[in-house]
Amino acid sequence: MGCSYHIRKTNIDLEEEDEDSVETLTSYQCLVNKTNEDNLHSQQNLVNKTCDEGNKEEADYQKTIKRFEELVASLPKGKGWMTEHLVYYKGCWLTAYGALKGLMFIQDHFKAQPTDIFLATFPKCGTTWLKALIFATMNRSRYDFPSHPLLSASPHDCVPFLDAYIFQNNPVSSIHSLPSPRLFATHIPYDLLPNSMISSGSRFVYICRNPKDVLVSKWVFMNKARPKELPPLSLEDAFELFCKGVSHYGPFWDHVLGYWKASLESPEKILFLKYEEMMREPFVLLKRLTEFLGQPFSLEEESDGVVHEIIRLCSFENLSSLEVNKTKVKRFSNQLVIDNCDFFRKGRVGDWENHLTKEMIERLDQITEEKLEMVLD
């Protein structure tokens, strides 16, 4: 016959257990409180660090503004095309509160990365077209053609101007979180680029154009963007200013020469293209562009018609017919808002023949031959 045992706990035993439970619970609660306190300290430290970084960036931002205000007051002025005046800075004519201010923010705050790609142009040399081509090429494995971003967004939204992007995305540090490779455009002459961009290993694609077409296209565009309170700029005045080098990011010839010489010295970093050649042989030049950017077309892509599809997508006829480029606007700053349709005029070579006099043509040809002889050969 088995025996069963039942051990009855005494009150003393129960009291000891209660004391142990209370002590354990107290220890656990202290641990939880310490953990929460440590977490709060970590979060507060992170907040303080973020605030400190934000305060420092804001202080640096204000230093650049002060430096700009002191500088701009001392610079020579010339007649503007889109604005009343241009300022002369280190051999180049710039809009004061757009181009010069943007340049100074780039000099002080922008940190280039080796994977960055910059499209560099003098205004009205095919910037919009090349933006579309580069964006479509670099993202061809990411987007399908039927739902491509270029069908609903301007090329200027897809590849922003660096100085305008910095203005619109304060703090400036936000630019560093963009996915690689970052695509930017700039009109800044090569000689004014900060050393951080030149020595970073970034690649530049530059496109130039016949100065006679540049003059006419720029004159038409700038008059559309010119404030209503300023009288229209005549072609005769625009011609004289252009010949003297007094135009946005001018002189034109110095701009071209700067990138041309740099492309000879560093062909692996700077690709120099000509608008007229791109128009004649887009297939050949687009393949050359992709090889330079390290994204050559595969034989399969070529046989599948990918190259031709990109050319069609980015063509003047297609882009200019899209609703976004007919009715929407591009806001570069609070002061500069451009109708997207103004970026699409004719997209042709040789329209200068319909606008320039014989004397104008001869004078421009003479200046071009003297200054760009090596580029034209």
Side-chain angles (χ1 to χ4, degrees), residues 103-166:
L103 171 61
M104 295 181 71
F105 271 92
I106 292 171
Q107 291 173 337
D108 290 355
H109 305 286
F110 178 68
K111 296 179 181 178
Q113 299 174 0
T115 54
D116 288 343
I117 296 171
F118 297 99
L119 162 60
T121 63
F122 187 83
K124 310 314 298 176
C125 286
T127 310
T128 305
W129 182 33
L130 198 52
K131 277 188 175 188
L133 286 171
I134 289 179
F135 180 81
T137 298
M138 295 301 294
N139 292 282
R140 63 185 186 271
S141 62
R142 184 178 178 185
Y143 302 116
D144 295 327
F145 288 114
S147 57
H148 203 279
L150 284 170
L151 298 176
S152 57
S154 162
H156 298 287
D157 292 320
C158 297
V159 182
F161 281 107
L162 179 56
D163 50 354
Y165 188 91
I166 286 178

XYZ file of all heavy atoms in Angstrom, residues 103-166:
518
model
N 26.111 78.832 -57.153
C 27.508 78.431 -57.257
C 28.192 78.472 -55.898
O 28.951 77.567 -55.541
C 28.237 79.355 -58.244
C 29.765 79.218 -58.312
C 30.154 77.811 -58.746
C 30.348 80.262 -59.258
N 27.930 79.508 -55.121
C 28.575 79.641 -53.818
C 28.099 78.563 -52.844
O 28.877 78.068 -52.017
C 28.340 81.046 -53.262
C 29.005 82.129 -54.099
S 28.781 83.809 -53.467
C 29.819 83.752 -52.008
N 26.844 78.173 -52.933
C 26.358 77.089 -52.085
C 26.987 75.763 -52.484
O 27.292 74.913 -51.638
C 24.827 77.008 -52.144
C 24.161 77.859 -51.114
C 23.798 79.166 -51.407
C 23.927 77.375 -49.839
C 23.194 79.972 -50.453
C 23.330 78.175 -48.875
C 22.966 79.475 -49.183
N 27.188 75.580 -53.792
C 27.865 74.375 -54.258
C 29.311 74.361 -53.771
O 29.821 73.343 -53.297
C 27.804 74.290 -55.796
C 26.355 74.041 -56.242
C 28.721 73.191 -56.321
C 26.146 74.166 -57.739
N 29.975 75.508 -53.881
C 31.361 75.607 -53.432
C 31.497 75.309 -51.939
O 32.442 74.634 -51.517
C 31.906 77.007 -53.729
C 32.101 77.303 -55.204
C 32.471 78.753 -55.446
O 32.178 79.628 -54.624
N 33.106 79.028 -56.572
N 30.550 75.790 -51.143
C 30.663 75.686 -49.689
C 30.087 74.398 -49.099
O 30.532 73.944 -48.038
C 29.975 76.878 -49.014
C 30.726 78.182 -49.230
O 31.817 78.151 -49.822
O 30.202 79.238 -48.830
N 29.092 73.810 -49.764
C 28.330 72.754 -49.105
C 28.213 71.430 -49.861
O 27.912 70.411 -49.240
C 26.917 73.255 -48.788
C 26.879 74.510 -47.984
N 27.168 74.546 -46.638
C 26.613 75.794 -48.341
C 27.068 75.790 -46.196
N 26.741 76.566 -47.216
N 28.412 71.448 -51.156
C 28.187 70.219 -51.918
C 29.411 69.306 -51.869
O 30.541 69.752 -52.058
C 27.852 70.542 -53.375
C 27.645 69.313 -54.223
C 26.553 68.493 -54.017
C 28.555 68.983 -55.220
C 26.357 67.359 -54.788
C 28.373 67.855 -56.002
C 27.265 67.038 -55.788
N 29.175 68.032 -51.627
C 30.240 67.028 -51.624
C 29.965 66.028 -52.740
O 29.011 65.248 -52.668
C 30.299 66.316 -50.264
C 30.668 67.224 -49.105
C 30.693 66.469 -47.789
C 31.038 67.397 -46.625
N 31.024 66.679 -45.311
N 30.790 66.091 -53.773
C 30.616 65.192 -54.914
C 31.024 63.775 -54.536
O 31.853 63.562 -53.644
C 31.440 65.682 -56.098
N 30.418 62.801 -55.203
C 30.746 61.394 -55.006
C 31.323 60.825 -56.300
O 30.979 61.294 -57.391
C 29.489 60.618 -54.594
C 28.869 61.097 -53.297
C 27.555 60.411 -52.976
O 27.086 59.553 -53.725
N 26.944 60.803 -51.849
N 32.178 59.825 -56.216
C 32.802 59.265 -57.418
C 31.802 58.742 -58.442
O 32.101 58.700 -59.634
C 33.680 58.126 -56.866
C 33.912 58.470 -55.446
C 32.687 59.186 -54.981
N 30.620 58.361 -57.974
C 29.614 57.800 -58.878
C 28.698 58.859 -59.493
O 27.841 58.525 -60.312
C 28.747 56.772 -58.130
O 28.205 57.385 -56.948
C 29.566 55.564 -57.739
N 28.855 60.119 -59.085
C 28.001 61.191 -59.614
C 28.199 61.356 -61.118
O 29.311 61.192 -61.645
C 28.311 62.526 -58.934
C 27.817 62.580 -57.502
O 26.972 61.744 -57.136
O 28.273 63.461 -56.747
N 27.112 61.728 -61.791
C 27.161 62.033 -63.225
C 26.588 63.430 -63.423
O 25.461 63.714 -62.999
C 26.363 61.008 -64.041
C 27.003 59.616 -63.907
C 26.297 61.416 -65.514
C 26.167 58.509 -64.502
N 27.373 64.289 -64.065
C 26.948 65.664 -64.304
C 26.798 65.919 -65.801
O 27.716 65.633 -66.579
C 27.975 66.648 -63.729
C 28.143 66.566 -62.248
C 29.200 65.862 -61.699
C 27.242 67.172 -61.392
C 29.367 65.775 -60.326
C 27.389 67.095 -60.015
C 28.459 66.395 -59.477
N 25.652 66.443 -66.176
C 25.437 66.917 -67.536
C 25.754 68.407 -67.540
O 25.077 69.193 -66.876
C 23.988 66.686 -67.967
C 23.487 67.475 -69.174
C 24.319 67.164 -70.407
C 22.022 67.210 -69.430
N 26.800 68.797 -68.244
C 27.220 70.196 -68.277
C 26.945 70.789 -69.651
O 27.264 70.177 -70.671
C 28.709 70.306 -67.954
N 26.341 71.967 -69.660
C 26.024 72.632 -70.923
C 26.058 74.141 -70.750
O 25.876 74.652 -69.642
C 24.601 72.278 -71.420
O 23.639 72.755 -70.457
C 24.413 70.789 -71.609
N 26.276 74.835 -71.845
C 25.936 76.249 -71.917
C 24.441 76.293 -72.215
O 23.925 75.430 -72.934
C 26.731 76.927 -73.039
C 26.580 78.417 -73.078
C 27.344 79.230 -72.255
C 25.669 79.022 -73.932
C 27.211 80.602 -72.277
C 25.517 80.399 -73.960
C 26.291 81.195 -73.127
N 23.695 77.258 -71.668
C 22.247 77.281 -71.893
C 21.857 77.231 -73.369
O 22.497 77.857 -74.208
C 21.823 78.619 -71.255
C 22.845 78.870 -70.202
C 24.144 78.343 -70.767
N 20.820 76.445 -73.657
C 20.212 76.313 -74.980
C 21.108 75.553 -75.958
O 21.145 75.842 -77.151
C 19.822 77.672 -75.551
C 19.010 78.547 -74.618
C 17.859 77.806 -73.934
C 16.821 77.264 -74.910
N 15.783 76.459 -74.169
N 21.788 74.542 -75.435
C 22.644 73.698 -76.285
C 22.153 72.255 -76.356
O 22.909 71.355 -76.718
C 24.084 73.727 -75.773
S 24.967 75.250 -76.117
N 20.900 72.012 -76.000
C 20.370 70.654 -76.015
C 20.266 70.045 -74.637
O 20.217 68.815 -74.489
N 20.205 70.883 -73.610
C 20.182 70.417 -72.225
C 18.989 69.496 -71.950
O 19.146 68.408 -71.379
C 20.136 71.615 -71.257
O 21.154 72.549 -71.603
C 20.327 71.160 -69.827
N 17.799 69.927 -72.346
C 16.581 69.158 -72.051
C 16.629 67.791 -72.711
O 16.284 66.766 -72.096
C 15.341 69.937 -72.526
O 15.338 71.243 -71.938
C 14.061 69.206 -72.144
N 17.050 67.758 -73.960
C 17.137 66.501 -74.711
C 18.137 65.546 -74.062
O 17.842 64.362 -73.853
C 17.534 66.819 -76.152
C 17.629 65.629 -77.060
C 16.877 64.490 -77.006
C 18.522 65.471 -78.162
N 17.248 63.629 -78.007
C 18.254 64.204 -78.739
C 19.515 66.270 -78.732
C 18.947 63.726 -79.850
C 20.188 65.803 -79.849
C 19.914 64.542 -80.390
N 19.325 66.049 -73.731
C 20.352 65.187 -73.162
C 19.988 64.733 -71.752
O 20.345 63.625 -71.337
C 21.699 65.901 -73.165
C 22.933 64.999 -73.014
C 22.911 63.873 -74.042
C 24.209 65.801 -73.161
N 19.276 65.557 -71.004
C 18.773 65.122 -69.693
C 17.897 63.880 -69.854
O 18.031 62.905 -69.111
C 17.959 66.241 -69.037
C 18.770 67.298 -68.298
C 17.832 68.229 -67.542
C 18.599 69.230 -66.688
N 17.713 70.018 -65.813
N 16.992 63.943 -70.814
C 16.081 62.823 -71.044
C 16.852 61.571 -71.466
O 16.599 60.464 -70.970
C 15.052 63.199 -72.111
N 17.820 61.732 -72.366
C 18.599 60.590 -72.849
C 19.399 59.930 -71.723
O 19.424 58.695 -71.606
C 19.544 61.034 -73.967
C 18.909 61.324 -75.328
C 19.938 61.955 -76.268
C 18.352 60.039 -75.947
N 20.052 60.735 -70.910
C 20.851 60.183 -69.814
C 19.962 59.497 -68.785
O 20.267 58.398 -68.312
C 21.703 61.288 -69.155
C 22.825 61.733 -70.097
C 22.289 60.808 -67.830
C 23.705 62.846 -69.546
N 18.845 60.132 -68.438
C 17.947 59.540 -67.439
C 17.385 58.210 -67.946
O 17.370 57.214 -67.210
C 16.805 60.501 -67.114
C 15.843 59.960 -66.090
C 16.138 60.037 -64.742
C 14.656 59.362 -66.479
C 15.260 59.520 -63.782
C 13.778 58.841 -65.539
C 14.073 58.927 -64.190
N 16.923 58.194 -69.192
C 16.334 56.972 -69.748
C 17.384 55.866 -69.867
O 17.094 54.694 -69.607
C 15.720 57.264 -71.112
N 18.589 56.239 -70.241
C 19.655 55.258 -70.406
C 20.078 54.646 -69.081
O 20.200 53.419 -68.947
C 20.882 55.913 -71.080
O 20.502 56.371 -72.384
C 22.019 54.928 -71.212
N 20.311 55.484 -68.090
C 20.797 54.998 -66.800
C 19.731 54.220 -66.026
O 20.046 53.463 -65.111
C 21.298 56.165 -65.954
C 22.513 56.884 -66.528
S 23.936 55.796 -66.745
C 24.328 55.398 -65.037
N 18.468 54.412 -66.371
C 17.372 53.747 -65.649
C 16.599 52.764 -66.528
O 15.460 52.420 -66.210
C 16.403 54.800 -65.088
C 17.019 55.634 -63.982
O 17.131 55.195 -62.841
N 17.411 56.858 -64.321
N 17.235 52.296 -67.595
C 16.496 51.461 -68.552
C 16.079 50.102 -67.987
O 15.119 49.493 -68.479
C 17.303 51.273 -69.831
C 18.629 50.544 -69.704
C 19.343 50.560 -71.050
N 20.558 49.764 -71.083
C 21.757 50.210 -70.768
N 21.899 51.470 -70.360
N 22.813 49.424 -70.851
N 16.767 49.602 -66.973
C 16.376 48.335 -66.353
C 15.378 48.543 -65.215
O 14.840 47.572 -64.675
C 17.615 47.603 -65.821
O 18.265 48.370 -64.820
N 15.144 49.779 -64.882
C 14.271 50.096 -63.741
C 12.838 50.396 -64.163
O 11.890 50.090 -63.429
C 14.854 51.295 -62.989
C 14.121 51.679 -61.737
C 14.814 52.847 -61.037
N 14.106 53.269 -59.848
C 14.432 54.324 -59.113
N 15.502 55.047 -59.453
N 13.734 54.657 -58.047
N 12.676 50.995 -65.350
C 11.342 51.415 -65.787
C 10.972 50.776 -67.119
O 11.826 50.604 -67.996
C 11.283 52.939 -65.942
C 11.616 53.713 -64.695
C 12.738 54.539 -64.651
C 10.812 53.638 -63.560
C 13.055 55.270 -63.510
C 11.121 54.356 -62.412
C 12.249 55.165 -62.395
O 12.559 55.879 -61.264
N 9.697 50.464 -67.256
C 9.162 50.010 -68.540
C 8.808 51.225 -69.387
O 8.378 52.258 -68.859
C 7.920 49.140 -68.329
C 8.240 47.841 -67.605
O 9.357 47.327 -67.816
O 7.385 47.371 -66.830
N 8.950 51.104 -70.690
C 8.664 52.240 -71.564
C 7.201 52.702 -71.513
O 6.937 53.912 -71.523
C 9.074 51.907 -73.006
C 10.568 51.865 -73.191
C 11.206 50.675 -73.495
C 11.341 53.015 -73.049
C 12.581 50.625 -73.654
C 12.718 52.979 -73.205
C 13.344 51.782 -73.513
N 6.224 51.795 -71.423
C 4.819 52.261 -71.395
C 4.461 53.103 -70.173
O 3.524 53.905 -70.218
C 4.006 50.954 -71.419
C 4.927 49.950 -72.018
C 6.290 50.319 -71.533
N 5.214 52.921 -69.056
C 4.908 53.680 -67.832
C 6.121 54.500 -67.382
O 6.298 54.743 -66.194
C 4.492 52.718 -66.720
O 5.514 51.750 -66.480
N 6.929 54.917 -68.320
C 8.180 55.602 -68.002
C 7.928 56.962 -67.347
O 6.986 57.677 -67.718
C 8.998 55.809 -69.280
C 10.453 55.976 -69.032
N 11.008 57.181 -68.629
C 11.489 55.106 -69.107
C 12.305 57.027 -68.484
N 12.629 55.786 -68.770
N 8.747 57.348 -66.356
C 8.580 58.660 -65.699
C 8.617 59.835 -66.674
O 7.969 60.860 -66.426
C 9.769 58.719 -64.733
C 10.083 57.303 -64.432
C 9.805 56.546 -65.695
N 9.367 59.710 -67.767
C 9.447 60.813 -68.729
C 8.124 61.071 -69.447
O 7.973 62.105 -70.094
C 10.543 60.533 -69.758
C 11.983 60.749 -69.265
C 12.980 60.206 -70.272
C 12.247 62.231 -69.006
N 7.181 60.160 -69.315
C 5.861 60.373 -69.911
C 4.992 61.285 -69.052
O 4.018 61.850 -69.537
C 5.150 59.029 -70.121
C 5.832 58.041 -71.070
C 5.071 56.724 -71.098
C 5.933 58.629 -72.474
N 5.364 61.429 -67.776
C 4.544 62.237 -66.867
C 5.344 63.277 -66.093
O 4.769 64.027 -65.304
C 3.813 61.325 -65.872
O 4.739 60.526 -65.158
N 6.651 63.333 -66.311
C 7.497 64.311 -65.612
C 8.455 64.949 -66.602
O 8.907 64.311 -67.557
C 8.277 63.635 -64.481
N 8.768 66.203 -66.361
C 9.706 66.918 -67.212
C 11.115 66.343 -67.044
O 11.483 65.892 -65.955
C 9.714 68.402 -66.838
O 10.863 69.053 -67.332
N 11.929 66.368 -68.103
C 13.339 65.974 -67.952
C 14.050 66.779 -66.868
O 14.988 66.276 -66.244
C 13.935 66.265 -69.335
C 12.781 66.111 -70.280
C 11.596 66.643 -69.520
N 13.588 68.011 -66.622
C 14.212 68.839 -65.591
C 13.834 68.383 -64.186
O 14.514 68.739 -63.218
C 13.828 70.305 -65.800
C 14.311 70.850 -67.107
N 15.629 71.140 -67.347
C 13.645 71.120 -68.265
C 15.765 71.587 -68.589
N 14.580 71.573 -69.163
N 12.760 67.618 -64.064
C 12.423 67.005 -62.777
C 13.228 65.727 -62.569
O 13.588 65.383 -61.443
C 10.926 66.670 -62.710
C 10.057 67.910 -62.661
O 10.442 68.863 -61.961
O 9.009 67.928 -63.335
N 13.504 65.031 -63.662
C 14.231 63.759 -63.574
C 15.728 63.970 -63.346
O 16.372 63.174 -62.650
C 14.003 62.950 -64.850
S 12.276 62.484 -65.126
N 16.285 65.004 -63.965
C 17.705 65.335 -63.782
C 17.769 66.805 -63.376
O 17.811 67.692 -64.232
C 18.527 65.088 -65.062
C 20.013 65.389 -64.807
C 18.347 63.656 -65.549
N 17.744 67.104 -62.095
C 17.670 68.498 -61.631
C 18.977 69.251 -61.808
O 20.064 68.655 -61.835
C 17.338 68.356 -60.143
C 17.943 67.041 -59.763
C 17.773 66.152 -60.962
N 18.866 70.569 -61.943
C 20.051 71.429 -61.890
C 20.554 71.436 -60.446
O 19.769 71.620 -59.512
C 19.715 72.846 -62.346
C 19.629 72.982 -63.837
C 18.403 73.127 -64.460
C 20.779 72.963 -64.620
C 18.317 73.239 -65.844
C 20.708 73.084 -65.997
C 19.476 73.221 -66.615
N 21.836 71.243 -60.282
C 22.411 71.101 -58.950
C 22.140 72.310 -58.069
O 21.733 72.171 -56.908
C 23.916 70.865 -59.062
C 24.691 70.707 -57.754
C 24.112 69.586 -56.901
C 26.171 70.450 -58.046
N 22.359 73.520 -58.593
C 22.165 74.709 -57.759
C 20.704 74.896 -57.378
O 20.389 75.253 -56.239
C 22.713 75.958 -58.450
C 22.222 76.111 -59.872
O 21.544 75.194 -60.375
O 22.518 77.143 -60.500
N 19.787 74.627 -58.300
C 18.362 74.753 -57.990
C 17.936 73.700 -56.970
O 17.120 73.965 -56.087
C 17.532 74.622 -59.261
N 18.497 72.506 -57.079
C 18.149 71.430 -56.149
C 18.571 71.792 -54.731
O 17.842 71.545 -53.768
C 18.817 70.126 -56.576
C 18.351 68.924 -55.790
C 17.274 68.156 -56.228
C 18.956 68.564 -54.577
C 16.825 67.063 -55.508
C 18.508 67.480 -53.844
C 17.452 66.732 -54.308
O 16.994 65.659 -53.586
N 19.742 72.376 -54.588
C 20.226 72.786 -53.270
C 19.312 73.852 -52.667
O 19.000 73.834 -51.477
C 21.678 73.295 -53.361
C 22.626 72.115 -53.555
C 22.070 74.091 -52.123
C 24.077 72.494 -53.698
